[in-house]
């Protein structure tokens, strides 16, 4: 059987000087211009969509007429067109929850620059901790070497680097390498057992075998207190600032400190999710999870003027806790990791899993009291952890496979392309 190409991303932190940061910031802000031009040209051109050829010509004309657009490399400008059309394809694809592409504002847009051609990177390993990469119009830059890249190290994974994307977050600039490796197709399914997983807040992941996967708070007590003080300071300064005026330097620095703390919490959460899902995907052949509508679960309880909601503050706190656990990202990681190991992920209906006794099937709302489950059926009377009971119900339920190998998986619909010109 022929090998299969596997595409993955590897993120590494860049070590940049002040001048290099300024150059990348300028390139990223310049990259917003072709995006906004494309959006205007694509959606408002005489009431019909523009063709790919017309969009490409519009970008070339803009680079000729606007001098400062020259600071953005030509290949990065062309990559904006590809990214823009992919955004439309994701929006029109029913398997994605992507929003409709819109104009990019200076303050609310994440800064990013594409390096679509791998030959421009010239990646080399400097020592055990650092590597070096060429960035167009920036120069030679060091990056943290935390994982062997395919095709670059002796004895490392076979494959190649197909490109990269530079992204800026609260901690600075990072590079996302696009890697491609060849893997042999699996001839057999995963040899492990089936497990049901209940996602929660008190217990992050409860398994049907009675074990649990828990984590410490994403921020320490001191970090939480620091974040609380910063949020109070930002609210006070925002209230004191006259309306329709720009934030002062102090206020912006406070926002930057808040963003760094929140980014630190997210980094820790993603790291825990990656390590945990890798362990689960390697242990179990079939992983069953609830088919939750998380977007509906975290909606506000404010209601309307005619019908105001109740317990709004408590619901807001619950929404923050659910969002902090990132249940959807956990399932997404499990899907591709299980599929790569010959396993599968199955989504089952969520109704009644936490109120039904797995032993006798008696369903009653009073069966559950917090984390304790006590069956009210006098002929049963099973008592145990509520999340474990829900996980067993999830394991025993019949659902729909969403990822896997061969006949075990569900073939997702092909991505639809943006509408063509009339």
């Amino acid at each position: 059987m022929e090998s299969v190409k596997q595409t993955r991303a590897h993120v590494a932190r860049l070590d940049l000087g002040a001048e290099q940061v300024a150059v990348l910031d300028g390139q990223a802000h310049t990259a917003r211009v072709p995006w906004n031009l494309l959006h205007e040209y694509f959606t408002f051109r005489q009431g019909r969509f523009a063709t790919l050829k017309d969009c490409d010509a519009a970008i070339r004309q803009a680079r000729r007429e606007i001098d400062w657009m020259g600071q953005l490399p030509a290949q990065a400008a062309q990559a904006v067109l590809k990214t823009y059309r992919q955004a439309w394809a994701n929006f029109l694809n029913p398997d994605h929850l992507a929003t409709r592409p819109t104009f990019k504002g200076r303050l609310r847009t994440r800064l990013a620059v594409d390096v679509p051609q791998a030959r421009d990177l010239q990646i080399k390993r400097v020592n055990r901790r650092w590597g070096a990469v060429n960035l167009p119009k920036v120069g030679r830059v060091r990056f943290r070497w935390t994982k062997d890249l395919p095709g670059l190290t002796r004895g490392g994974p076979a494959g190649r680097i197909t490109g990269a994307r530079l992204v800026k977050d609260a901690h600075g600039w990072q590079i996302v390498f696009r890697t491609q490796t060849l893997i042999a197709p699996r001839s057999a399914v995963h040899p492990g057992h089936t497990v049901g997983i209940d996602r929660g807040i008190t217990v992050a992941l409860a398994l049907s075998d009675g074990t649990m996967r828990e984590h410490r708070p994403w921020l320490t007590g001191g970090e939480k207190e620091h974040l609380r003080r910063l949020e109070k300071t930002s609210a006070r300064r925002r209230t004191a600032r006259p309306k329709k005026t720009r934030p002062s330097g102090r206020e912006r620095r406070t926002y930057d400190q808040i963003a760094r703390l929140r980014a630190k919490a997210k980094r820790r959460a993603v790291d825990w999710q990656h390590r945990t899902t890798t362990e689960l995907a390697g242990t179990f052949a079939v992983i069953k999870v609830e088919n939750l509508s998380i977007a509906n679960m975290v909606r506000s309880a404010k209601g309307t003027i005619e019908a105001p909601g109740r317990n709004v503050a408590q619901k807001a706190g619950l929404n923050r806790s659910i969002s902090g656990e990132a249940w959807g990202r956990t399932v997404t990681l499990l899907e591709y990791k299980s599929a790569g190991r010959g396993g599968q992920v199955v989504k089952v209906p969520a109704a009644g899993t936490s109120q039904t006794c797995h032993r006798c099937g008696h369903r009653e709302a009073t069966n559950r009291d917090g984390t304790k489950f006590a069956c009210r059926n006098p002929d049963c009377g099973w008592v145990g952890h509520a999340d474990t009971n829900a996980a067993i119900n999830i394991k025993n339920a019949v659902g729909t496979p969403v990822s896997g190998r061969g006949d075990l998986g569900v073939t997702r619909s092909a991505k639809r392309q943006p509408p063509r010109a009339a």
Side-chain angles (χ1 to χ4, degrees), residues 2-30:
E2 296 183 359
S3 299
V4 180
K5 293 182 180 179
Q6 184 182 72
T7 302
R8 290 288 184 266
H10 174 63
V11 184
R13 187 68 55 187
L14 292 174
D15 182 26
L16 299 171
E19 294 183 358
Q20 293 173 323
V21 170
V23 172
L24 279 181
D25 287 351
Q27 290 185 8
H29 284 300
T30 304

Side-chain angles (χ1 to χ4, degrees), residues 157-201:
R160 64 191 182 99
I161 304 294
T162 60
R165 182 175 176 85
L166 310 174
V167 181
K168 188 175 185 181
D169 62 8
H171 292 284
W173 281 94
Q174 57 189 4
I175 184 168
V176 184
F177 294 105
R178 290 188 285 267
T179 67
Q180 187 180 90
T181 56
L182 294 177
I183 59 174
R186 295 182 178 270
S187 58
V189 298
H190 196 293
H193 301 288
T194 300
V195 69
I197 298 179
D198 179 65
R199 294 164 286 172
I201 297 173

Side-chain angles (χ1 to χ4, degrees), residues 2 45 54 100 107-108 115-116 173 175 195-196 212 214 226 236 245 248 252 254 281 333 372 378 388 407 416:
E2 296 183 359
R45 181 175 176 266
D54 292 338
R100 182 186 178 93
L107 299 179
R108 66 177 185 271
V115 186
W173 281 94
I175 184 168
V195 69
M212 298 179 181
E214 301 181 77
H226 189 200
R236 184 174 62 251
T245 58
S248 64
R252 286 198 298 269
T254 303
L333 297 179
K372 181 180 179 180
T388 301
D407 297 333
R416 292 189 231 159

Side-chain angles (χ1 to χ4, degrees), residues 369-397:
D369 183 14
T371 59
K372 181 180 179 180
F373 187 93
C375 182
R376 301 299 179 182
N377 184 359
D379 297 331
C380 177
W382 184 86
V383 178
H385 199 287
D387 292 336
T388 301
N389 174 76
I392 298 175
N393 286 329
I394 293 171
K395 175 185 176 181
N396 296 333

